[in-house]
Amino acid sequence: MKHHTTDAHTLAAAYALGALDDVERQDFDAHLRSCGACRQEAAEFQATTARLAVAVSQPPPATAKAQVMAAIDGVRQLPPRIPAPSQAPALGGLLRRRAVPLALAASVAAAALGGVAVWQTQNRQDLHQQARTAQQRLDAISAVLAAPDARTVHGKAANGALTTVVSSDQQDMAVFTAANLPAPGAGKTYQLWLDHNGTMRPAGLIDHNGTVILTGNPADAGAVGLTLEPTGGSPRPTTDPLLLMALPA
């Protein structure tokens, strides 16, 4: 990844996902010491990666522990696989190529801890589909974060949630991240909106901390809104906006 010094604020996601090379990481570490906003944003992206891994995990069946313990004595431990120096993977590279393997590794770890024996059940097909869906979603998010024209704006909702929107005209997409988002309550959900010259158009739902891809075209939108709506969302806002955050031009 090649960035100018003035682009330091756009490297939080790449830093959180381990997609910076040694020099870039050292420079960004120095930047973090003087930039509270980037420290918070990097922490939010790290938490989001963990939540994406949890999304594909499932609770283990009641018999899982007993089955694993019974099988341990009959399983030989393999020695660690140590790659030759020439085979060691190079650091850096595009965020899009690094983010998916990192998240999938986290997903595999979460799935293994959450359900050791699940792969031997009828849920295997569902888990494969969930993993593919999570990979595609993270791939799209990573493409926006790594886009050369990515623009970032931060906000704070009326209920205290900290929000970030990253948009890219090149990708024709925008992603929304929320932290400290209070539970919406029974029968409620948070709905996102794109403001097109005063017309609020639905842009997706979010009911807990995390990152979502905004639906609709953000290219000619002037702002992103957030309201509390009935479960399933509404065609038009039914409550006062908790957030109306102007998008960067």
Side-chain angles (χ1 to χ4, degrees):
M1 295 181 65
K2 300 299 181 184
H3 293 267
H4 299 293
T5 302
T6 54
D7 295 331
H9 297 286
T10 69
L11 294 177
Y15 176 85
L17 292 169
L20 301 181
D21 61 31
D22 288 340
V23 174
E24 290 171 331
R25 176 169 287 275
Q26 291 173 4
D27 290 344
F28 195 71
D29 279 333
H31 173 72
L32 286 180
R33 288 194 287 271
S34 61
C35 183
C38 283
R39 286 197 302 272
Q40 177 177 319
E41 188 171 13
E44 291 170 1
F45 278 123
Q46 288 171 329
T48 297
T49 301
R51 282 189 289 273
L52 288 173
V54 172
V56 297
S57 67
Q58 291 208 1
T63 59
K65 181 176 180 180
Q67 291 174 350
V68 172
M69 297 303 293
I72 284 177
D73 290 338
V75 178
R76 179 186 175 193
Q77 180 176 342
L78 296 176
R81 180 181 178 183
I82 302 176
S86 61
Q87 297 176 327
L91 293 176
L94 291 176
L95 171 61
R96 185 174 180 197
R97 292 164 51 188
R98 290 292 307 276
V100 171
L102 286 168
L104 286 180
S107 298
V108 171
L113 292 173
V116 175
V118 172
W119 292 99
Q120 301 177 1
T121 72
Q122 66 272 20
N123 292 329
R124 182 173 182 176
Q125 185 82 18
D126 292 340
L127 288 176
H128 281 173
Q129 182 58 47
Q130 290 176 22
R132 283 193 294 268
T133 300
Q135 177 178 345
Q136 292 168 358
R137 178 172 175 267
L138 184 59
D139 199 32
I141 291 173
S142 299
V144 175
L145 300 182
D149 67 336
R151 304 182 304 276
T152 304
V153 61
H154 303 281
K156 185 174 183 179
N159 58 5
L162 301 176
T163 63
T164 298
V165 173
V166 182
S167 60
S168 166
D169 290 341
Q170 186 179 90
Q171 295 296 322
D172 196 23
M173 286 192 298
V175 296
F176 178 91
T177 297
N180 300 329
L181 190 65
K188 298 289 185 180
T189 189
Y190 293 106
Q191 186 164 358
L192 294 161
W193 307 87
L194 286 173
D195 182 1
H196 293 270
N197 296 320
T199 300
M200 303 299 285
R201 297 177 181 172
L205 305 175
I206 182 170
D207 58 10
H208 53 74
N209 290 341
T211 298
V212 297
I213 301 171
L214 295 177
T215 59
N217 183 4
D220 58 349
V224 172
L226 179 71
T227 62
L228 189 61
E229 302 292 336
T231 298
S234 305
R236 292 179 299 277
T238 64
T239 61
D240 292 335
L242 297 167
L243 172 76
L244 192 58
M245 184 165 56
L247 291 174

